[in-house]
Amino acid sequence: MTAPTNKKINVAIIGMGNCASSLIQGIYYYGEDRETDASGLMHSELGGYKPSAIQITAAFDIDSRKVGKDVSEAIFAEPNCTAVFQKDIPHQGVAVQMGHMLDGYSDHMENYPDERRFMPAADTQPSKEAVVKALKDAEVDVMMNYLPVGSQKATEFYAECALEAGVAFVNNIPVFIASNPEWAARFENAGIPIIGDDIKAQLGATIVHRILTDLFAKRGVAMDRTYQLNTGGNTDFLNMKNQNRLESKKESKTEAVQSVAASRLDDENIHVGPSDYVAWQNDNKVCFLRMEGRLFGDVPMNLELRLSVEDSPNSAGVAIDTIRCAKVALDRGIAGVVEGPSAYFCKHPPIQHTDDIARLMTEAFIEGSNVTTVPVPEALAALAS
């Protein structure tokens, strides 16, 4: 089943940071003149929608340097520091609106230079009714949540807005909405699709760690211990210097690896998570990965890997796919968590699948066959196991 290629997907972005910048740059980089050569994209066309079908019709942020500016300007405003691979972004005619802050800002950022931290605007924060009205006025189809890690209350606020406005929700951060049975049930009962939680990069630390862990299991290599250490210099890493905001992030990344291991490692034998903020790295993320195991005859082996990527562009292609999958789910009247895309595109879906199986499920979803959503009791059992 495909949709007409001239149809548009109206998107609202919550948080106009580096990830939003890379996403919007990518929409124009892979515009109509590149649609026949879309190398770098996972899918050049998905459900009848090309990247150029995506248009931003609403945007929210709390930074004084972005609020009130056109989206085309806001994505290049400080403290954004990601790579600029598409300079020519046309005026969108969409001004960034003041968002609802709640726990979306960590006070420790005040100790860092202005060009590195968020600078909250003094505007009155909008009510839920005001955000819902803005979403409806902008005829939004899909909401993209790009709030900082640890924004539990703020994410729940925007999830409520999505439910009331009838907008599909893509949760790109490690706050558990799709993988929370109560929230999953609410989206299902409302007849609205949701994809989440915590976006995987195209070729990032967690997906590489998962694939190697799965390889160990399939080749009969006993894994004894492993770590994944990450450093970066963007606002995401600065935000995560507040250890109190890291609990769900560590759980999401750790479970993504544990779920594909031949047997679960004891907590003391696995460490997966952000490690430190290095300002001069900007949006470059460096992963140091080590895996220790035993081959035939219990002969020991170890693997060490260093991966360096520009963090935000690494997730933008995946974001373009999740937007299109969410719109296809809307087109087909699918409600609740969309299982295949959630498992393939996210680190902490309600039900974990190996990446090869999740990819097959996602391709089946795109083709319109074997389309399923996650029943809430099964999601609950998966989380409890």
Side-chain angles (χ1 to χ4, degrees), residues 100-358:
H100 205 77
M101 195 176 309
L102 295 170
D103 55 357
Y105 176 76
S106 181
D107 290 340
H108 80 281
M109 282 192 168
E110 295 177 0
N111 300 322
Y112 290 82
D114 291 350
E115 67 271 15
R116 290 288 173 183
R117 66 180 182 93
F118 301 132
M119 294 179 62
D123 298 31
T124 302
Q125 297 178 50
S127 65
K128 181 173 65 175
E129 292 74 21
V131 174
V132 170
K133 183 178 185 304
L135 295 174
K136 290 181 176 179
D137 289 347
E139 299 180 344
V140 170
D141 299 307
V142 180
M143 178 188 288
M144 294 291 282
N145 179 29
Y146 279 132
L147 288 168
V149 169
S151 303
Q152 181 76 42
K153 294 178 181 177
T155 295
E156 291 178 353
F157 171 84
Y158 284 107
E160 291 276 5
C161 293
L163 284 168
E164 291 200 19
V167 170
F169 192 68
V170 177
N171 187 34
N172 296 297
I173 74 167
V175 165
F176 304 144
I177 302 295
S179 55
N180 180 309
E182 293 182 6
W183 276 103
R186 291 187 63 187
F187 274 88
E188 186 170 4
N189 293 337
I192 301 169
I194 178 172
I195 295 175
D197 298 308
D198 196 9
I199 192 170
K200 290 176 190 168
Q202 186 173 14
L203 193 70
T206 299
I207 188 66
V208 170
H209 205 167
R210 275 174 61 92
I211 293 297
L212 289 173
T213 301
D214 188 41
L215 180 65
F216 270 50
K218 288 178 176 175
R219 302 298 293 180
V221 181
M223 186 164 71
D224 294 325
R225 59 190 65 86
T226 186
Y227 66 63
Q228 179 197 129
L229 310 178
N230 301 298
T231 65
N234 57 24
T235 48
D236 188 34
F237 276 88
L238 178 56
N239 169 67
M240 290 187 292
K241 282 185 70 68
N242 182 344
Q243 294 293 309
N244 295 328
R245 301 178 71 89
L246 282 182
E247 183 177 352
S248 61
K249 181 71 171 179
K250 287 182 65 65
E251 179 181 341
S252 176
K253 289 174 71 68
T254 302
E255 187 58 30
V257 176
Q258 288 274 38
S259 66
V260 295
S263 58
R264 294 183 68 88
L265 296 174
D266 292 339
D267 290 346
E268 66 181 17
N269 290 325
I270 181 169
H271 176 87
V272 183
S275 302
D276 213 345
Y277 169 71
V278 182
W280 60 262
Q281 283 186 229
N282 291 319
D283 198 39
N284 181 253
K285 177 179 178 179
V286 177
C287 162
F288 301 93
L289 179 64
R290 181 176 176 89
M291 303 171 72
E292 298 182 3
R294 287 168 284 119
L295 300 168
F296 181 77
D298 281 335
V299 176
M301 58 79 63
N302 68 74
L303 176 154
E304 290 196 345
L305 177 149
R306 179 185 185 276
L307 174 67
S308 174
V309 296
E310 196 74 3
D311 201 20
S312 302
N314 201 14
S315 71
V318 182
I320 285 175
D321 281 353
T322 60
I323 289 169
R324 293 183 290 176
C325 282
K327 182 59 166 69
V328 168
L330 275 175
D331 292 344
R332 296 175 182 167
I334 295 172
V337 180
V338 190
E339 183 176 355
S342 290
Y344 190 46
F345 297 133
C346 300
K347 299 184 186 79
H348 196 272
I351 297 178
Q352 291 277 7
H353 297 278
T354 59
D355 292 278
D356 51 353
I357 296 300

Side-chain angles (χ1 to χ4, degrees), residues 76-93:
F76 299 122
E78 290 180 342
N80 291 5
C81 59
T82 192
V84 177
F85 56 90
Q86 178 66 32
K87 296 180 180 179
D88 184 17
I89 306 296
H91 186 82
Q92 304 289 294

